[in-house]
Structure formats: C-alpha cells, structure tokens
Amino acid sequence: MKNGEIHPEDNVSMVKQFVLLGFSDLPNLQGFLSGIFSIVYTIILIGNSLIIILTMVDPVLKKPMYFFLANFSTLEICYVSVTLPRILVSMWTLDRTISLLECAIQLGFFLILGATECLLLAVMSYDRYVAICHPLHYPLVMNPKKCVQLAAGAWVSGMPIQIGQTCQIFSLNFCHSNHIDHFFCDMPPIIKLACGDTSMHELSVYVVIMLFAVVPFVLILASYSKIISTVLRLPTAQGRGKAFSTCSSHLLVVVLFYGSASITYFRPKSSHSAGIDRLLSLFYTIVTPMFNPLIYSLRNKEVIAALRKLLHRV
C-alpha cells in the first residue's frame, strides 16, 4: 500500500495473513543476502555465547558489570532470533507469507526485547555510575541480590505494556493490501496498512517509546554526565584513562543502538521511505548485536585475559 489516507468507508478486507516484502525488490541478490545473513547470525550466536560462557567460568569476571554483560549478551541472542531466522527461511523457501498470529507474536517479542534492551542499558550505566562515582559503596550497593533484582526488572517491566500495545495494533482493521514493506513485522509499516484514522494508535506508540526508550536514555545521559565529571577530577592521567576504559564500550553500544533506533522512530512521517527504514532497522536489529561482543571484548583487558585462559584450556 502506498502512503495515502484510508477512509473507513472504503472496502475492508479481513486479513488472515501478511506478505513480508523484505528484500524481494533485489531478486538477483537473494543468494548473496542469505549467505551474508547466515554468516552474521552465526557470528552473533558465537560471539554473545562466548561472552556468556566466559562470565560463567572465569572467577575474575564474577562482578556485577559482567553479570549485566552476560544478561545483555543473552538478550542480544534472543533479540536477533526474533527476526533473522524468519528472514533466512523466507529467502530459502521464497515464501514471504506470515499469518496474522505469527506476525503479532513476532512484533510482541520484538517490542518486549527492545524495551528490555533500553532498560538494561540504563541499568548497566547505573552500575558504572556507582562503581566510578561511589567506589567505596559499590560492593554494598551492587550486591548480588540487587543485581538480580535490577536485571529481572529490566526483563519483565516492559512485558505487560508491550503485549497490550501489540494487541491494540492488531485490533485494527486492515484494508486493500496485506503487503508489509519490511523484512519483519514492525509497528510503522503495519499501522500504514490500517483503515481509517490511526492517529490515536500512533500517539500511543510515541508514548510507549517515550517511556521505554527516552526515559532510560535520559537516565543514561545523567549517569554519564556524573561519571565524566568525576573522572575529570581524578588526579592522574592513568586513573582517568582506566575509568574511561571501563565505560567506553557501554557508551559506544548505547550510541549505536539509540542512534539508529531514534532516527527510525522519531523521523517525521514525510521523510519515511521503505528503503531507508529497512536499512536503519537492519542496523539496530542485526548489525549492532553483531558488533557488541567485539566492542566489549576488544576494549576490555579482563575479557581478553579470560578468553586466552579459556583457549589455553581447550
């Protein structure tokens, strides 16, 4: 369906399934793209699984920072598994149809895990804030029980609202077309297919985004403003370098994830195009999870040392 106003009086079709157009406009590149996506998925699974294993077997990594990193790696595996296997199956079988229920389930998990990622990034920034700004209180504040509570809160807090939002979106009537101009079931392209006035649904989407994306991002900025202020007051350059190195990886991941996601969801409607939306979505759903293990391992001496010890055992 092209951009245009849909009137309630138009003929409404009872949509039973959608067609994910995905990369069907690139028929000559299907084999190449499926190969690339297969390699990327393998890298994501191996890289994030390796971080989880390292945090479990190495005593040096039995710290709150690495506990949250293991949670984050688990989340990244789940997050990318919501979309990428479905893309690969569509490319291999050339069957791009997805039932209404499957589409709703995919969107629901995508929204829940997206909210979890925003909240977990905020929790990780709070951990770095306490470690750098209040080092003497760090063992007391970030005790094992508190870490489990913070991680569990990040995982479950978004579930009720995101399930509700998914149900709200799929309660809409869809007319004329069941073609989703995207490679997975995402909110903007689905709402485009709805009949009538969808302004209230779009408003609710923005409210939820503000709650689960903007608020955590503001907390992250507040944490890092305190961290930077504290680090700059350290007396030695070596101390400042060490402090910055412990949180630079996390900050880079925040910039990559929030940068691409915010451009996707907060751009004016007039500037939306299917090609740009797909490219940006690829970035924060697939490319960022692929680079996260590299960012955290290559910029962290303790992770590198743990990896060397594990390889020597093997």
Side-chain angles (χ1 to χ4, degrees), residues 20 34 37-38 40-42 44-45 76-93 95 98 106 183-184 285-286:
L20 291 167
S34 66
F37 287 147
S38 298
V40 167
Y41 190 44
T42 303
I44 291 170
L45 293 179
E76 292 293 61
I77 291 173
C78 297
Y79 188 59
V80 79
S81 295
V82 171
T83 56
L84 199 43
R86 186 68 179 73
I87 297 171
L88 291 171
V89 169
S90 295
M91 288 182 167
W92 293 335
T93 63
D95 181 10
I98 183 170
Q106 185 184 58
F183 57 85
F184 70 98
T285 58
I286 297 174

Side-chain angles (χ1 to χ4, degrees), residues 63-123:
K63 300 175 183 178
M65 180 173 74
Y66 299 110
F67 169 76
F68 293 125
L69 180 56
N71 270 268
F72 190 70
S73 293
T74 304
L75 172 66
E76 292 293 61
I77 291 173
C78 297
Y79 188 59
V80 79
S81 295
V82 171
T83 56
L84 199 43
R86 186 68 179 73
I87 297 171
L88 291 171
V89 169
S90 295
M91 288 182 167
W92 293 335
T93 63
L94 300 180
D95 181 10
R96 304 184 188 281
T97 60
I98 183 170
S99 72
L100 201 69
L101 179 60
E102 289 173 332
C103 191
I105 291 172
Q106 185 184 58
L107 178 62
F109 275 108
F110 178 76
L111 294 178
I112 290 169
L113 294 171
T116 301
E117 180 149 359
C118 294
L119 294 172
L120 196 54
L121 286 171
V123 168

Side-chain angles (χ1 to χ4, degrees), residues 31-53:
F32 173 76
L33 288 173
S34 66
I36 292 294
F37 287 147
S38 298
I39 293 170
V40 167
Y41 190 44
T42 303
I43 291 172
I44 291 170
L45 293 179
I46 293 174
N48 285 287
S49 297
L50 195 56
I51 286 181
I52 296 168
I53 293 169

Side-chain angles (χ1 to χ4, degrees), residues 251-264:
L251 191 57
L252 181 57
V253 170
V254 168
V255 170
L256 288 173
F257 176 76
Y258 270 101
S260 54
S262 60
I263 293 172
T264 301

Side-chain angles (χ1 to χ4, degrees), residues 197-310:
D197 183 14
T198 60
S199 57
M200 291 305 296
H201 292 276
E202 291 171 16
L203 179 61
S204 71
V205 168
Y206 282 115
V207 169
V208 172
I209 290 174
M210 292 290 289
L211 180 62
F212 288 106
V214 176
V215 172
F217 185 60
V218 170
L219 294 175
I220 291 169
L221 290 179
S223 296
Y224 274 99
S225 64
K226 292 282 188 180
I227 289 171
I228 292 170
S229 176
T230 301
V231 169
L232 292 176
R233 292 200 301 268
L234 293 176
T236 64
Q238 184 179 3
R240 289 193 293 270
K242 184 177 180 181
F244 272 125
S245 68
T246 62
C247 55
S248 59
S249 299
H250 176 252
L251 191 57
L252 181 57
V253 170
V254 168
V255 170
L256 288 173
F257 176 76
Y258 270 101
S260 54
S262 60
I263 293 172
T264 301
Y265 287 100
F266 287 107
R267 280 186 305 148
K269 253 184 154 183
S270 58
S271 66
H272 276 250
S273 73
I276 298 298
D277 286 349
R278 278 181 292 178
L279 183 62
L280 290 169
S281 297
L282 271 177
F283 198 83
Y284 68 82
T285 58
I286 297 174
V287 176
T288 302
M290 180 182 68
F291 281 115
N292 285 347
L294 295 174
I295 292 170
Y296 278 111
S297 60
L298 294 178
R299 298 183 61 84
N300 191 301
K301 293 179 181 179
E302 290 180 329
V303 173
I304 292 173
L307 180 59
R308 285 174 178 165
K309 283 194 286 184
L310 181 66

